Amino acid sequence: MKKFLFLVVGLIGFLANAQADKIYKHNGEVIDGKVVKLEEFTIIFKYDGEDAENTLSKYAIEKIVYGKSGRVEEVTEKIVVKTEDDWEKVVILEDKAFIAGLKKGDEVRGKTGLINYHTGNTGDKKAEKKLKMAAAAMGCPFILQTADKSTVGANSNSLGGSQVIKKGIGYKY
């Protein structure tokens, strides 16, 4: 009778685990749990055997394999940034929820020069490019933007130009 009970408990545990969803992260980690909700930029899930809800950025997730149906849902493609030349691949994130599950890097900064005769829009693009280039040089495909400052006209410098400064923190998988 004890052997039968042990076998039944083991079988129930195996079946419960077989029903778990598998979340595959871009860094190679696999999470067993239950996907609760997919939102626009995040995934809410529970670890097996736990009730607490956890959040991951969709940027950190490659795919989800649903336990009950076996359906595979591709979430995001991995962004590979090797050198500064890959700066156009870098994604600027503006919400802390979008970095959940990513690994924090160093601070990055992009700015236009003190004597800058760009219009507001072109100065903004130049500072953004420099910000992305700094992140790409560190191998970070993501930036959480922390500051976006622009000075225009008489307030910026004695020559009447404008200056744009952008700051952020680089993130990796």
Side-chain angles (χ1 to χ4, degrees):
M1 184 67 176
K2 286 183 182 181
K3 288 182 184 179
F4 177 73
L5 185 59
F6 180 73
L7 182 63
V8 169
V9 170
L11 184 60
I12 289 171
F14 174 76
L15 290 175
N17 195 32
Q19 298 295 319
D21 299 332
K22 291 195 179 290
I23 302 169
Y24 292 84
K25 293 176 63 178
H26 286 296
N27 67 3
E29 183 183 346
V30 179
I31 298 171
D32 290 326
K34 178 70 178 154
V35 174
V36 176
K37 186 185 336 180
L38 294 173
E39 295 182 340
E40 187 174 358
F41 294 103
T42 58
I43 294 172
I44 299 172
F45 72 99
K46 294 179 181 180
Y47 284 102
D48 272 350
E50 295 183 13
D51 291 330
E53 291 185 351
N54 299 276
T55 303
L56 280 176
S57 168
K58 282 190 172 180
Y59 294 111
I61 309 293
E62 175 189 356
K63 65 183 176 181
I64 300 168
V65 178
Y66 294 98
K68 285 185 179 179
S69 66
R71 182 173 66 89
V72 177
E73 182 171 356
E74 301 292 331
V75 180
T76 60
E77 288 189 32
K78 186 172 186 174
I79 300 171
V80 179
V81 176
K82 294 181 181 177
T83 67
E84 189 176 287
D85 294 335
D86 295 326
W87 70 269
E88 290 179 285
K89 297 178 183 177
V90 175
V91 177
I92 296 177
L93 308 173
E94 296 177 355
D95 190 318
K96 285 186 177 184
F98 303 165
I99 60 168
L102 298 172
K103 195 183 212 182
K104 186 177 180 180
D106 292 328
E107 184 175 73
V108 290
R109 183 176 176 179
K111 69 176 188 165
T112 57
L114 287 175
I115 302 174
N116 177 24
Y117 293 106
H118 293 284
T119 63
N121 192 32
T122 57
D124 191 60
K125 288 183 187 277
K126 183 177 180 182
E128 183 176 300
K129 178 180 178 181
K130 287 184 175 183
L131 183 71
K132 287 182 171 187
M133 289 175 82
M138 296 186 320
C140 293
F142 304 102
I143 300 169
L144 176 63
Q145 189 165 329
T146 57
D148 188 357
K149 180 180 174 187
S150 179
T151 56
V152 181
N155 294 334
S156 63
N157 60 45
S158 60
L159 300 174
S162 64
Q163 183 177 34
V164 179
I165 301 170
K166 294 181 179 279
K167 293 181 183 178
I169 300 169
Y171 282 85
K172 300 178 182 184
Y173 293 111

